[in-house]
């Protein structure tokens, strides 16, 4: 498997180890530094990762225990840790253990929980969080009350999602 961000890339070897390379100016590789890597550097095993998303200058992972982790640029609170402090290594987001997937755009992020609810945080200048406001959010907030979300995608200044209908 491989994931590409704006200027950084992640890949998994057949052994299950996670590797990263590329720009690291915003700590998006998560190796504890901001050193650019022109060759892959090993991060950890992916056996504990169930989802990964490499965005513009941020990266997220959902661990197999359902916890959400983020690192990289946090200028607009797009990491969701309640601050706007960039992180050079994975930082746990909240205490929930029921995250299933995550998507990050340039300045905002979206995630789904196992109960089918949609959560959003970060810059909201264009209403990209979908909560009916243009207020920024520093940590995940539930979007609406629907619990039938099955997919989300955070883009540059907008978001997309799918819900189950019928039945």
């Amino acid at each position: 498997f491989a994931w590409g961000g704006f200027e950084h890339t992640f890949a998994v070897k057949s052994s299950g180890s996670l590797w990263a390379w590329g720009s690291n100016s915003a700590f998006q590789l998560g190796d504890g530094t901001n050193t650019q890597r022109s060759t892959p550097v090993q991060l950890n095993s992916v056996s504990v990762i169930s989802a990964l998303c490499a965005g513009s200058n941020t990266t997220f992972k959902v661990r197999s225990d359902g916890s959400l982790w983020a690192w990289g640029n946090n200028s607009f609170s797009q990491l969701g840790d309640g601050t706007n402090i960039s992180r050079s290594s994975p930082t746990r987001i909240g205490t929930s253990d029921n995250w299933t997937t995550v998507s990050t755009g340039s300045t905002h992020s979206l995630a789904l929980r196992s109960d089918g609810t949609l959560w959003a945080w970060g810059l909201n200048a264009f209403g990209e969080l979908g909560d009916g406001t243009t207020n920024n959010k520093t940590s995940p907030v539930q979007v609406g009350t629907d619990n039938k979300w099955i997919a989300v995608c955070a883009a540059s200044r907008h978001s997309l999602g799918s819900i189950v209908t019928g039945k």
Side-chain angles (χ1 to χ4, degrees), residues 95-118:
T95 59
S96 296
D97 287 330
N98 62 344
W99 299 103
T100 59
T101 189
V102 62
S103 180
T104 185
S106 298
T107 56
H108 75 289
S109 304
L110 307 169
L112 298 179
R113 288 190 177 170
S114 58
D115 62 2
T117 56
L118 171 62

Side-chain angles (χ1 to χ4, degrees), residues 1-3 8-22 29 31 37 39-46 49 52 71:
F1 298 99
W3 301 267
H8 63 297
T9 304
F10 291 86
V12 177
K13 287 189 174 183
S14 59
S15 64
S17 57
L18 180 62
W19 297 76
W21 63 95
L29 297 183
D31 66 353
R37 305 292 182 171
T39 59
V41 58
Q42 185 173 355
L43 299 178
N44 63 13
S45 169
V46 297
I49 298 174
L52 188 88
W71 59 94

Side-chain angles (χ1 to χ4, degrees), residues 102-155:
V102 62
S103 180
T104 185
S106 298
T107 56
H108 75 289
S109 304
L110 307 169
L112 298 179
R113 288 190 177 170
S114 58
D115 62 2
T117 56
L118 171 62
W119 297 74
W121 59 95
L123 185 70
N124 197 23
F126 302 95
E128 55 265 51
L129 300 185
D131 66 352
T133 75
T134 55
N135 299 326
N136 301 341
K137 304 293 189 288
T138 61
S139 57
V141 293
Q142 187 173 346
V143 179
T145 59
D146 202 330
N147 65 350
K148 297 180 180 178
W149 293 97
I150 58 170
V152 291
C153 180

